[in-house]
Amino acid sequence: MGKFPTFFFLLGLAALAAALFGALHNQLSYSVGPTYFTAFKFEQFGMPEDMPNRLAAAWVGVQASWWMGPLVGAPAFLYGLFAVPQNRTYLAAGLGAIFLVILLATFGALGGLLGGLAADSTGLLDEYLTFREGPTRSDFLRAGFMHDATYLAGALGLLAAFFPMRRGRTIDRLRSQQEVANAT
């Protein structure tokens, strides 16, 4: 497979990874904030009323996050397409970038959950927040903070995804220099 097909493969894989992450993420956020989904997200995403709540939460996660993978990955994948000489290294760097962004999003989700729990227990932010009608205050804070922090961490992943690509570029350049040195 050449580098251009690898670029599109990485975009598709990033979309799939983001969709799976969203489905799993929403299982946790549904556990800590069920009315955030039943009184807000299910309606927002047009979930059928007869769909089981856990399945609906997962499907909302897929719909809400699949596009983040290609959006976050595309700049780094495009950079790597031209900067990383070897296709094998480019693929490995792309997989590393996807993993790194998922890892950041996971930490963002957990940080958001902690922030939501703190905001819920202290009430410090209540005067600055507008609570939606429907979800309970606690569910809105826990699941809402978790979702927002995950998107922020995913956005930071846009920058972090360049690191594996730059490392791949360095590896290929060093490998090339070593081959030249061994040939002489």
Side-chain angles (χ1 to χ4, degrees), residues 1-10 77 80-95 165 168 172 175:
M1 174 165 46
K3 285 181 69 179
F4 279 106
T6 300
F7 171 77
F8 291 108
F9 174 75
L10 288 171
F77 298 157
L81 180 65
F82 297 103
V84 181
Q86 298 295 317
N87 188 49
R88 190 173 84 209
T89 310
Y90 174 51
L91 177 61
L95 294 173
M165 291 297 167
D172 276 358
R175 186 180 296 140

Side-chain angles (χ1 to χ4, degrees), residues 7-121:
F7 171 77
F8 291 108
F9 174 75
L10 288 171
L11 285 176
L13 195 58
L16 179 63
L20 289 173
F21 177 85
L24 292 172
H25 173 281
N26 276 10
Q27 294 307 301
L28 177 58
S29 58
Y30 180 84
S31 294
V32 300
T35 63
Y36 182 76
F37 288 90
T38 58
F40 174 44
K41 286 295 180 183
F42 291 170
E43 182 180 319
Q44 182 184 25
F45 281 86
M47 294 295 100
E49 289 187 24
D50 61 339
M51 183 181 266
N53 286 348
R54 288 285 180 177
L55 182 59
W59 185 238
V60 166
V62 168
Q63 292 181 74
S65 62
W66 73 267
W67 56 272
M68 282 291 288
L71 180 72
V72 168
F77 298 157
L78 193 57
Y79 167 76
L81 180 65
F82 297 103
V84 181
Q86 298 295 317
N87 188 49
R88 190 173 84 209
T89 310
Y90 174 51
L91 177 61
L95 294 173
I98 292 168
F99 175 78
L100 183 58
V101 173
I102 293 292
L103 187 65
L104 282 171
T106 300
F107 282 114
L110 295 175
L113 176 57
L114 290 175
L117 289 169
D120 183 27
S121 65

Side-chain angles (χ1 to χ4, degrees), residues 170-183:
T170 301
I171 288 169
D172 276 358
R173 287 201 172 166
L174 291 174
R175 186 180 296 140
S176 178
Q177 290 172 357
Q178 186 65 36
E179 288 171 3
V180 168
N182 289 343

